[in-house]
Amino acid sequence: MRIPPGCTIGARGFFVWLGLATLAVGAVFFAGQNPSLAQEGWQAGVAAVKITPEPGLWMAGFAARDQAAQGTLQDLWAKALVLQDAKGRKALLVSADFLGFTRSLGEYLCTEIQRRWQIPRERIMLCCTHTHSGPVIEGALYDIYPLDDAQREKISRYTRWLEGKLVEAVESAMARLEPVALYAGEGTATFAVNRRNNREADVVKLREEGKPLAGPSDYRVPVLAVRRADGSLKAVVFHYACHTTVLSLYQWHGDYAGCAQLELEKRYPGATAIFCIGCGADQNALPRRTVELAEQYGQQLAQAVAAVLDGQMRAVPPRLEAHFELIRLDYEVVDRPTLEAAASQSTYVARWARRLLAALDRGESFPNWYPYPVQVWLLGDNQWWIALGGEVVVDYALRLGELYGSSTWVTGYTNDVMAYIPSRRVWQEGGYESGAFSVYGLPAKRWSEDIETRILAAVARGMEACRTKLAQP
């Protein structure tokens, strides 16, 4: 992990955090890989279903694309992990190989899960790999691409089919519950690069010369191991804060995250590997653009996870507490003069502007805030897992690590991906990652200046709510 000058973490706070983290590691009880050493009471079920579209569907993630997908290099998957604690309370993680859950798709899936299995909303976490070689989902990124009515219909049909496959994954996982033990740990992978501060052409030379890269990055690799009673690996969940943008082909592929999952499932037969992208909105794997590089980064990440799995990990007691909150994130509404100026451009920004101008001409008004999801899970007594919506920049993971310990896990792109989510630093600097509203279609010009303060306050409320629940018998 690198924290450069000017980041939200002060020098004094960093050394306090480092000392606390060192003490925590020294004091922890490592249970190794023997389930008998972990507290009994967990049950888990896991399942994976293929969600690879047919060729001809538009791909999500790069505005420069000018045609639909032409084929498949690597299948796409949706995966579900059900956890049941010693009190019989279930929690559910779903992760899929696409750009991210839209609010409507997330609401549909959560409604179905609550109706069929009575799992409350705070105990449902919807993640993604954010591969840029996956499909466009209904209602997302429509302004980026020149979609005609036929393409929109294809996207709608695929989304309806996808809804069924997501429910199928959950149903299959529910049917496969068995006694397990849970373990937590963190590894390290160093291929993430802050793309705001480093030119791709310079990265290889800087690394060869042993010179540091600029800007903050988070090299931690959180790992959750789910082991059967015989000690074999049933599932592994892992995170990394880096965009899945190595590939920009016209063929379906899970990018480096897909390669890492395949490698782990090869190394550990009978296990299901699940990737959840971290706070990597301003991070790229560099250099990129080839399948070989995607495989290389996938191998590096899989090796980092394997080193954790094959080493000593912390046992997680069989209790899970959760909190979910939709908070108000204000933004400055885009004005007509700005839209009129943008409408004359030749890029996707013009499509965004023309659509919003047409809405104004019809007499519509735009909201000035977005309901932003903040979720907190507490696994066992002290394993925090924080899930934030949108494309979250790396400062959030670093700041939350400073506040709550280096073993705090922070997942981005969770429950709803509606825009980029800047820290105060990135908000002040500006640039693409400060919003990118024309990409996602929001009628916004700029987030409110207090965006980081509001999100961190919501995380603190969620953690306090989980602590209160943990204290109850």
Side-chain angles (χ1 to χ4, degrees):
M1 179 178 63
R2 297 183 290 107
I3 306 173
C7 189
T8 52
I9 303 176
R12 182 176 181 272
F14 170 75
F15 285 111
V16 171
W17 163 75
L18 183 61
L20 290 174
T22 303
L23 288 173
V25 171
V28 74
F29 168 69
F30 289 105
Q33 305 306 308
N34 185 350
S36 66
L37 297 180
Q39 295 187 32
E40 297 179 356
W42 284 114
Q43 291 195 49
V46 66
V49 297
K50 191 182 300 184
I51 60 169
T52 312
E54 295 293 328
L57 194 69
W58 212 270
M59 305 180 79
F62 290 116
R65 283 196 173 110
D66 57 6
Q67 59 181 301
Q70 302 302 305
T72 300
L73 277 181
Q74 186 184 93
D75 278 317
L76 307 180
W77 298 86
K79 298 176 180 180
L81 173 66
V82 181
L83 297 174
Q84 181 175 294
D85 66 14
K87 290 188 174 183
R89 300 172 303 173
K90 293 182 176 64
L92 175 66
L93 170 71
V94 177
S95 187
D97 289 326
F98 52 47
L99 211 65
F101 277 89
T102 62
R103 181 165 48 164
S104 60
L105 180 58
E107 288 176 347
Y108 168 82
L109 184 58
C110 288
T111 298
E112 283 297 295
I113 291 167
Q114 290 170 316
R115 181 179 68 85
R116 295 182 184 218
W117 297 287
Q118 295 75 52
I119 300 177
R121 179 63 187 89
E122 67 269 17
R123 301 173 76 85
I124 304 170
M125 187 182 292
L126 305 178
C127 301
C128 68
T129 65
H130 196 61
T131 176
H132 283 45
S133 297
V136 171
I137 304 299
E138 186 177 61
L141 307 183
Y142 275 15
D143 292 327
I144 296 186
Y145 308 112
L147 303 176
D148 56 21
D149 289 342
Q151 270 293 337
R152 289 172 183 265
E153 176 59 27
K154 286 183 179 180
I155 292 169
S156 293
R157 287 200 305 270
Y158 174 76
T159 304
R160 300 289 83 74
W161 178 81
L162 175 64
E163 289 172 348
K165 300 304 285 185
L166 292 169
V167 173
E168 178 185 329
V170 176
E171 186 172 38
S172 297
M174 289 286 183
R176 297 173 182 175
L177 282 172
E178 63 176 315
V180 297
L182 265 58
Y183 301 91
E186 294 79 36
T188 302
T190 59
F191 59 82
V193 177
N194 193 303
R195 69 188 191 185
R196 291 171 60 87
N197 302 106
N198 299 275
R199 294 194 317 131
E200 182 172 352
D202 299 334
V203 170
V204 173
K205 183 177 179 181
L206 286 170
R207 283 178 165 161
E208 287 176 347
E209 295 174 350
K211 295 181 179 179
L213 300 174
S217 292
D218 183 9
Y219 295 148
R220 293 171 295 182
V221 182
V223 178
L224 178 69
V226 182
R227 293 191 176 275
R228 301 179 182 90
D230 62 3
S232 63
L233 188 67
K234 182 180 180 72
V236 56
V237 182
F238 62 107
H239 317 208
Y240 193 54
C242 183
H243 249 99
T244 32
T245 53
V246 179
L247 299 177
S248 57
L249 307 173
Y250 287 91
Q251 294 171 295
W252 308 119
H253 197 285
D255 211 270
Y256 78 80
C259 295
Q261 291 174 94
L262 288 174
E263 175 61 24
L264 286 167
E265 290 174 353
K266 178 182 177 181
R267 291 192 186 201
Y268 303 95
T272 300
I274 303 175
F275 177 80
C276 301
I277 190 168
C279 299
D282 51 353
Q283 310 290 308
N284 276 354
L286 299 178
R288 54 182 182 160
R289 311 292 183 190
T290 69
V291 174
E292 290 75 20
L293 283 169
E295 293 173 344
Q296 175 184 318
Y297 297 135
Q299 289 282 340
Q300 289 182 32
L301 185 54
Q303 181 58 44
V305 175
V308 178
L309 291 173
D310 297 342
Q312 300 295 313
M313 300 182 71
R314 303 183 297 274
V316 179
R319 182 161 181 172
L320 190 154
E321 304 297 348
H323 181 79
F324 180 89
E325 182 178 356
L326 290 173
I327 66 172
R328 175 175 175 140
L329 288 189
D330 292 327
Y331 54 74
E332 180 184 353
V333 176
V334 67
D335 54 75
R336 181 178 283 274
T338 300
L339 292 173
E340 289 174 344
S344 63
Q345 298 184 25
S346 59
T347 66
Y348 65 88
V349 178
R351 286 190 288 271
W352 167 74
R354 289 194 291 266
R355 177 177 60 82
L356 295 181
L357 283 170
L360 290 176
D361 292 340
R362 293 192 299 268
E364 297 179 19
S365 60
F366 301 137
N368 64 349
W369 64 283
Y370 195 89
Y372 179 78
V374 176
Q375 188 172 23
V376 177
W377 278 9
L378 176 56
L379 297 167
D381 301 323
N382 53 21
Q383 181 56 65
W384 294 107
W385 187 347
I386 298 163
L388 303 176
E391 298 208 40
V392 188
V393 299
V394 75
D395 287 354
Y396 283 91
L398 298 177
R399 177 62 174 162
L400 289 164
E402 178 197 38
L403 290 171
Y404 304 115
S406 61
S407 62
T408 300
W409 301 346
V410 189
T411 306
Y413 303 81
T414 310
N415 295 310
D416 182 5
V417 180
M418 77 303 291
Y420 277 78
I421 303 299
S423 62
R424 179 171 177 79
R425 176 184 65 86
V426 173
W427 185 92
Q428 290 173 329
E429 292 175 357
Y432 182 76
E433 290 86 1
S434 65
F437 298 112
S438 56
V439 171
Y440 283 96
L442 288 181
K445 199 171 183 179
R446 196 179 194 192
W447 288 111
S448 174
E449 185 177 3
D450 64 351
I451 181 171
E452 180 178 333
T453 300
R454 293 192 186 195
I455 292 173
L456 293 182
V459 170
R461 287 194 299 272
M463 297 178 83
E464 182 59 32
C466 288
R467 290 191 191 97
T468 298
K469 294 176 183 177
L470 185 65
Q472 297 170 354

